[in-house]
Amino acid sequence: MDALRIQGGARLSGTLPIDGSKNAALPAMAAAILSQGTVQLHDIPTLSDIGNMTKLLRELGCEVTGQGRNCTIRTTDPTANHARYEIVRTMRASICVLGPLLAARGEARVSMPGGCAIGDRPVDLHLRGLEALGATIELDGGDIIARADRLKGTTIFLGGPFGSTVLGTANVMSAATLAEGRTIIESAACEPEITGLADMLNAMGAKISGAGTPRIEIDGVESLGEVEYTIIPDRIIAGTLAMAVAMTNGDATLTNFPYDNLLAVLDRLDVAGVHVCRTDLAQDPRRCTVQVTSERRLNPVLYTTQPYPGFPTDLQAQMMSLLCLAQGNSIVTERIYPDRFLHVSELTRMGATLFRSGPTVVVQGGEQLVGAPVMAGDLRGSAALVMAGLVARGETIVQRIYHLDRGYVRLEEQLNKLGAGIERFELGVSDPIGV
Ligand code: EPU
């Protein structure tokens, strides 16, 4: 099992491009099932989750070929429709094949995803949305079985107790592209990954308007065709790298930076004393070049995670690491996944002073972090631990980094390009700090 050994103390500087977004790429790959032609995708990040989606699509009768960050998907056997537990349990996002399979093939059998390290993750809203479109849904042997001859457009409310649902919106929107008549999704997720998916589907011939707002309208069409589409840059990686640079009091340039998709984060960073400045105002604000610098002394801030355009839950842990360095008390409230705090006890092992009460954590900043062996428990929490390691005194070892590898393409290599001292090594089971 791989681990990272981090020598703290380097100031990060240099230039890095932001990778394509995993969370945009996964539903885009699944949406290829809807196409009667060839789907070419560019800027696909080379991550384990993408490998899992490739495997799943192949099992679902798609030919998936590609080199590096490009991939081509074409359906060769439209009779396959079973997303088996063996794959779904490795990646919850497998659920995003449900809508495309149902709409394109009339039947989908998708293993019901379980909870995960960040908490319960129900899919009731996905199922309610597809039922509203006329699908019959049953559960059998742990599988969701959805069937419909042809879906029928209708008005669907997709809000839940924690706001809308991103992959639920992707599923219902994708399925509705081939439904008869007009579908209106109210309380749709507004995340940029949904806007990106709508752009791709429209380029395939769909008629979607309003994506990026809480009301999406879809006029169903008879079929969808080929497309060539470039995945949007990853706003979570962009935020992670900007915070990492700031924590080390560095000075770095990030390109392909989705500035406009990160405004809530940039606002909190600004208050904290981190400056993310566009260096060329003529560039597209969703793919621009920024320079990241920070004040020597960071300020505490309050933030609450919310659906887009609010502060994203996927950057909650990384921002908490940064605020361990601020002079004063910060308050973090998690409103999407109230238990997404696996990093709290590990940061505490590194000398952070954190007090948790339910979905809120008070970060008493200003302490020098100290290197320690720590255990990654989920994807974004792992990134937070790596960032803490960058500024800790001495050596930090982050174990179980398979979580990290699900969402960052060799994060240590990217940070090393900016001058960090991180080494990946294989941790044997007999190693004294092994598990
Ligand atoms: N929810 C329901 N019912 C549903 C679906 C969701 O109650 O049917 C609740 C969830 O429990 C949660 C909230 O609604 O409290 C939002 O969940 P959502 O469905 O939006 O999450 P998701 O679509 O499964 C995506 C990202 C997550 C990210 C969330 C929220 C992908 C592959 N995953 O998940 O990303 O945290 O949106 O923004 O796009 C990550 O990348 O680290 C990650 C976990």
Side-chain angles (χ1 to χ4, degrees):
M1 206 184 289
D2 282 0
L4 294 181
R5 179 179 290 115
I6 306 165
Q7 301 298 340
R11 283 181 74 177
L12 301 186
S13 66
T15 301
L16 263 190
I18 303 300
D19 288 327
S21 158
K22 161 182 87 79
N23 289 350
L26 292 170
M29 290 175 77
I33 291 172
L34 292 163
S35 173
Q36 293 193 347
T38 299
V39 170
Q40 289 180 66
L41 298 174
H42 303 297
D43 227 353
I44 296 275
T46 48
L47 295 166
S48 54
D49 272 9
I50 299 293
N52 285 328
M53 180 56 85
T54 301
K55 205 154 117 192
L56 176 57
L57 289 176
R58 287 186 177 138
E59 285 204 7
L60 293 173
C62 297
E63 183 185 86
V64 187
T65 52
Q67 262 204 329
R69 291 170 183 246
N70 304 313
C71 118
T72 301
I73 307 170
R74 198 169 59 91
T75 297
T76 49
D77 173 13
T79 62
N81 62 16
H82 190 187
R84 293 178 308 119
Y85 178 63
E86 285 65 29
I87 295 193
V88 176
R89 75 185 171 85
T90 62
M91 184 185 60
R92 286 195 84 267
S94 307
I95 190 70
C96 57
V97 299
L98 180 64
L101 278 178
L102 172 68
R105 303 184 186 176
E107 182 167 334
R109 185 175 188 121
V110 178
S111 178
M112 174 75 99
C116 72
I118 63 177
D120 291 339
R121 298 186 65 185
V123 292
D124 55 309
L125 297 171
H126 301 233
L127 304 186
R128 277 217 330 248
L130 295 175
E131 266 178 337
L133 288 174
T136 58
I137 309 265
E138 58 176 299
L139 274 181
D140 180 37
D143 291 338
I144 301 161
I145 303 175
R147 291 192 186 91
D149 285 338
R150 181 156 187 207
L151 298 168
K152 286 199 175 48
T154 185
T155 297
I156 301 166
F157 179 76
L158 265 192
F162 299 96
S164 190
T165 159
V166 180
L167 291 181
T169 301
N171 256 329
V172 175
M173 181 173 80
S174 298
T177 57
L178 293 181
E180 194 183 321
R182 171 170 291 197
T183 299
I184 296 175
I185 306 177
E186 287 286 6
S187 195
C190 302
E191 271 68 5
E193 293 75 22
I194 295 297
T195 314
L197 178 63
D199 288 345
M200 171 182 156
L201 289 166
N202 281 340
M204 288 160 71
K207 294 198 171 128
I208 304 173
S209 59
T213 77
R215 180 186 165 97
I216 302 180
E217 292 187 14
I218 306 131
D219 283 313
V221 296
E222 292 297 320
S223 64
L224 296 176
E226 63 182 25
V227 71
E228 185 169 357
Y229 177 73
T230 301
I231 300 297
I232 59 173
D234 193 314
R235 63 196 167 102
I236 306 305
I237 293 179
T240 303
L241 290 174
M243 289 176 196
V245 170
M247 283 174 78
T248 67
N249 197 228
D251 181 346
T253 299
L254 301 174
T255 62
N256 200 32
F257 190 94
Y259 188 95
D260 264 15
N261 295 340
L262 271 171
L263 294 179
V265 175
L266 299 178
D267 172 68
R268 294 294 82 192
L269 285 175
D270 189 53
V271 175
V274 177
H275 311 297
V276 179
C277 300
R278 291 179 60 190
T279 56
D280 180 353
L281 291 176
Q283 287 177 329
D284 179 348
R286 287 161 307 170
R287 290 178 178 275
C288 62
T289 301
V290 298
Q291 187 185 12
V292 184
T293 53
S294 64
E295 304 292 331
R296 203 158 258 293
R297 197 184 142 97
L298 295 176
N299 306 312
V301 296
L302 306 185
Y303 64 100
T304 299
T305 64
Q306 287 168 339
Y308 189 83
F311 194 102
T313 172
D314 294 345
L315 281 169
Q316 177 255 110
Q318 301 90 316
M319 186 75 176
M320 190 183 291
S321 268
L322 179 135
L323 292 173
C324 290
L325 310 183
Q327 299 295 321
N329 293 345
S330 298
I331 301 180
V332 181
T333 303
E334 175 56 67
R335 290 242 185 270
I336 309 293
Y337 300 112
D339 287 322
R340 193 177 201 177
F341 287 124
L342 288 171
H343 45 285
V344 166
S345 50
E346 301 303 294
L347 287 173
T348 304
R349 284 174 52 69
M350 298 178 71
T353 309
L354 306 169
F355 304 97
R356 178 177 170 198
S357 174
T360 298
V361 173
V362 176
V363 183
Q364 192 176 303
E367 306 281 347
Q368 163 75 60
L369 297 176
V370 283
V374 286
M375 195 85 81
D378 72 307
L379 162 55
R380 307 301 171 185
S382 322
L385 297 177
V386 172
M387 290 158 67
L390 291 175
V391 292
R393 190 177 63 231
E395 182 177 283
T396 298
I397 292 187
V398 184
Q399 303 174 58
R400 296 197 180 166
I401 55 163
Y402 52 85
H403 291 293
L404 185 74
D405 292 338
R406 288 187 37 231
Y408 296 88
V409 181
R410 293 260 166 184
L411 182 62
E412 78 283 8
E413 286 177 12
Q414 302 202 39
L415 292 170
N416 285 346
K417 280 186 194 148
L418 296 179
I422 311 181
E423 180 200 354
R424 182 182 283 256
F425 67 104
E426 205 178 329
L427 192 66
V429 276
S430 58
D431 195 298
I433 56 165
V435 285

